[in-house]
Amino acid sequence: MKLVVVTAGLTQPSSSRLLADRLTQAVTRQAQAEVRVIELRDLAVDIANNFVTGFPNARLREAVEAVTEADGLIAVTPIFSGSYSGLFKSFFDVIDDGALAGKPVLIAATGGTARHSLALEHALRPLFAYLRAVVVPTAVYAASEDWGGAADAFTDGLGPRIARAAEELADLLLHRRPRAQSKEVAEEEVVPFEQQLAALRPLD
């Protein structure tokens, strides 16, 4: 299986990449997968040029193909002004409608304060619902104070949230036919038109 991780952190190192790495480790402990990490920071100029020219260059095209051909996706963005980053949204705007249909996706985000955590539900989840992806129930948000690892009386710690979300994505990956195999099965199931037409003819 192929698992692609898209992270939109702008700094190096970034908390978004750190969260992405922890999620990836948690998923691959339960489901063996070939992992590819895409740092959108490295593609920022390529994405902008795509909007101006209407065509992706080779590097951006290869990243888009990796995402669309993956069996599962982890998508992590920093939260700016109560929503996903512009770079994150621009990358997914490049992807054709329907290219992520049925793909299992784990969404996650980072921010300076827990007050931005609902951006996962009012921004990221609707984005991937529009793209017809299958988003796991548990979304993971990490505020600055979460990196200490302590839980309080009202919320889970970051570790348990990561574990729960990873288990949900791993379960989808393990019970879903790999994308390449799905294509092969679909091709095998195609019935030639002549054969379909012959089946409609009345028997003599």
Side-chain angles (χ1 to χ4, degrees), residues 119-163:
L120 282 163
E121 302 303 329
H122 73 68
L124 269 79
R125 196 176 294 277
L127 169 64
F128 287 100
Y130 173 79
L131 296 172
R132 292 184 287 156
V134 179
V135 184
V136 302
T138 302
V140 180
Y141 180 83
S144 298
E145 60 266 26
D146 286 319
W147 296 108
D152 58 35
F154 303 100
T155 62
D156 292 336
L158 181 59
R161 278 180 277 151
I162 288 174

Side-chain angles (χ1 to χ4, degrees), residues 6 20 43 110 115 121 140 149 163 169 197:
V6 176
L43 297 171
T110 58
R115 291 192 298 272
E121 302 303 329
V140 180
L169 181 60
L197 187 61

Side-chain angles (χ1 to χ4, degrees), residues 17-34:
R17 176 60 190 268
L18 178 60
L19 179 58
D21 288 345
R22 289 189 59 178
L23 288 165
T24 302
Q25 292 166 6
V27 172
T28 54
R29 278 196 293 266
Q30 302 175 64
Q32 291 186 350
E34 176 185 334

Side-chain angles (χ1 to χ4, degrees), residues 71 176-188:
D71 296 296
R176 179 175 183 265
R177 181 183 291 122
R179 190 174 182 87
Q181 185 178 347
S182 297
K183 289 181 180 179
E184 292 173 2
V185 171
E187 290 173 357
E188 291 174 1

